[in-house]
Amino acid sequence: MKELKIIEWLGDRIRIIDQTELPHKEVFLELHDYREVADAIKKLRIRGAPDIGVAAAYGFALGAQAMRASSKEQFLAKLRPVSKTLAASRPTAVNLFWALERMNKAAQSGKSVAQIKRGLLVEAKRIEAENDEANRRLSELGAELIKDGFTILTHCNAGSLATAAYGTALGVIKMAKEQGKRVKVYATETRPLLQGARLTTWELMKENIPVTLITDNMAGHFMSKGVIDCVIVGADRIAANGDVANKIGTYTLAVLATENGIPFYVAAPVSTIDLSLSSGADIPIEERSPDEVTHIQGVRIAPKGVKAANPAFDVTPHRYVSAIITEKGVFKEPYVEKLKKL
Ligand code: MRU
């Protein structure tokens, strides 16, 4: 997807592809204000952990650019609500907070208002470039786990759309194909918001990688029939012990994979690892509107007034994770010491 820029800095605004409109329409939106960036993240127009991190960094730089102040102290005070608004957009993907922390540090280190503004843009661009490098490197390392002829099951969307770069789970698959391996993908539709059906299939078809769409509840069937050689997913946050928060339904897939003796891999940049949390139990899980469950693409499918739950992520205990693929290496159990060293 080289031709498609997922997030683009245009000097005084950010251009994004609206992921809620895909695959039917390729709609580009221009965001002129950091509040618009926060809103786009909240509404999943921009989504996927690394993508959210890059967007937050540019959102911060955009907010800073519009700010006027007579002293560094006043400027930093004015930047606080920018950071707070972006941080409040979504709670689970740690890349958001990681990027904002880097931006806040960059702001502190500038001497004058003008210098801080310039420094923030440099830092946002660096975050984007490093993210791209990390995606490619982890994809290369992960591709070593993929054999010629593999059929890989993936969940949600962890490709270019989710990373504003090469991709993580889909990056590994793309790299394996670039290396000349024949690979096939089974993509789960990923209810409630269908990132698999709408986005992963769209990306893979653009890459000419054979993909079969299945509903989430078909995964066990295909695993038990011996169709799937491995499962690869991305992550929104990885705790210090290797527990992984990812799109709701990931835990189910990990248990099914283990039961069927199928390797279950998690591909994510180091920026997704949160060493401040000792286990996945502490990862905040976003609870989204029940309407996303009672409706599909705006069409009601459940009786009016029915109660619905909508946790957007779940936590897969590390014992189900065969390996965590990062740009710094592929790690297997026990995770604690290895992740700490990163
Ligand atoms: O709610 P979303 O679409 O932002 O959820 C995204 C996922 O769960 C992805 O699998 C994860 O962020 C990894 S993206 C490389």
Side-chain angles (χ1 to χ4, degrees):
M1 296 237 303
K2 280 176 210 81
E3 72 284 0
L4 201 71
K5 210 64 181 116
I6 312 300
I7 299 178
E8 194 170 7
W9 173 261
L10 294 177
D12 58 349
R13 59 200 192 283
I14 300 164
R15 188 169 180 259
I16 61 156
I17 183 160
D18 182 350
Q19 299 193 32
T20 62
E21 297 282 355
L22 289 171
H24 307 303
K25 286 189 253 167
E26 289 184 21
V27 176
F28 290 87
L29 296 177
E30 293 197 350
L31 311 175
H32 296 83
D33 182 276
Y34 73 90
R35 295 179 201 87
E36 288 177 10
V37 178
D39 190 59
I41 294 173
K42 207 174 276 180
K43 296 195 170 131
L44 270 59
R45 301 189 193 287
I46 304 169
R47 51 148 294 283
D51 192 17
I52 294 172
V54 173
Y58 278 124
F60 196 111
L62 195 61
Q65 209 175 56
M67 230 52 106
R68 302 278 167 266
S70 50
S71 67
K72 175 180 168 178
E73 288 62 41
Q74 195 188 32
F75 190 59
L76 292 180
K78 283 190 168 182
L79 278 178
R80 257 171 246 137
V82 174
S83 187
K84 236 174 134 179
T85 304
L86 288 163
S89 58
R90 292 190 81 186
T92 305
V94 76
N95 309 60
L96 171 74
F97 308 99
W98 168 86
L100 290 175
E101 200 180 313
R102 278 185 61 163
M103 295 301 282
N104 276 305
K105 268 197 192 136
Q108 298 285 347
S109 69
K111 289 197 173 60
S112 65
V113 171
Q115 202 186 64
I116 295 174
K117 285 186 183 183
R118 279 196 302 275
L120 285 173
L121 187 54
V122 169
E123 186 66 357
K125 288 187 172 169
R126 196 177 290 146
I127 286 173
E128 185 185 14
E130 284 175 15
N131 174 53
D132 192 44
E133 227 170 85
N135 272 233
R136 280 184 184 277
R137 184 69 193 129
L138 75 85
S139 298
E140 280 165 7
L141 294 174
E144 288 169 25
L145 300 166
I146 309 298
K147 295 202 180 97
D148 184 30
F150 258 25
T151 298
I152 302 150
L153 186 136
T154 191
H155 187 55
C156 194
N157 170 265
S160 295
L161 290 166
T163 58
Y166 189 72
T168 55
L170 293 193
V172 171
I173 296 168
K174 277 159 64 176
M175 191 60 79
K177 189 200 171 216
E178 277 182 39
Q179 291 171 348
K181 293 171 191 162
R182 285 158 300 172
V183 286
K184 286 191 211 133
V185 177
Y186 273 56
T188 54
E189 62 176 357
T190 319
R191 270 286 281 152
L193 295 179
L194 304 169
Q195 289 92 330
R198 297 186 300 107
L199 309 176
T200 294
T201 55
W202 183 78
E203 275 198 41
L204 291 174
M205 288 171 83
K206 273 188 182 272
E207 299 287 343
N208 287 316
I209 296 175
V211 55
T212 303
L213 174 65
I214 60 171
T215 62
D216 299 335
N217 50 1
M218 293 176 190
H221 170 78
F222 286 109
M223 288 192 205
S224 72
K225 293 284 174 206
V227 174
I228 309 296
D229 295 298
C230 70
V231 178
I232 311 181
V233 296
D236 286 82
R237 199 184 291 226
I238 301 173
N241 67 346
D243 291 352
V244 174
N246 191 48
K247 179 52 58 197
I248 191 77
T250 301
Y251 170 46
T252 318
L253 294 173
V255 175
L256 281 170
T258 305
E259 163 71 14
N260 287 282
I262 298 167
F264 180 88
Y265 299 126
V266 174
V270 170
S271 56
T272 304
I273 300 170
D274 183 355
L275 292 179
S276 75
L277 304 182
S278 56
S279 87
D282 299 327
I283 298 176
I285 301 295
E286 179 181 11
E287 191 65 44
R288 294 185 63 88
S289 164
D291 291 357
E292 293 177 352
V293 176
T294 55
H295 293 66
I296 296 183
Q297 304 261 279
V299 177
R300 174 179 285 284
I301 53 155
K304 249 189 188 164
V306 71
K307 224 170 101 183
N310 190 12
F313 302 94
D314 59 24
V315 174
T316 299
H318 58 90
R319 65 178 179 279
Y320 295 112
V321 179
S322 313
I324 297 176
I325 302 163
T326 76
E327 71 275 26
K328 297 260 158 78
V330 175
F331 303 102
K332 297 193 173 174
E333 287 269 34
Y335 292 110
V336 183
E337 284 309 312
K338 295 170 193 163
L339 296 188
K340 212 198 278 172
K341 276 197 195 124
L342 290 174

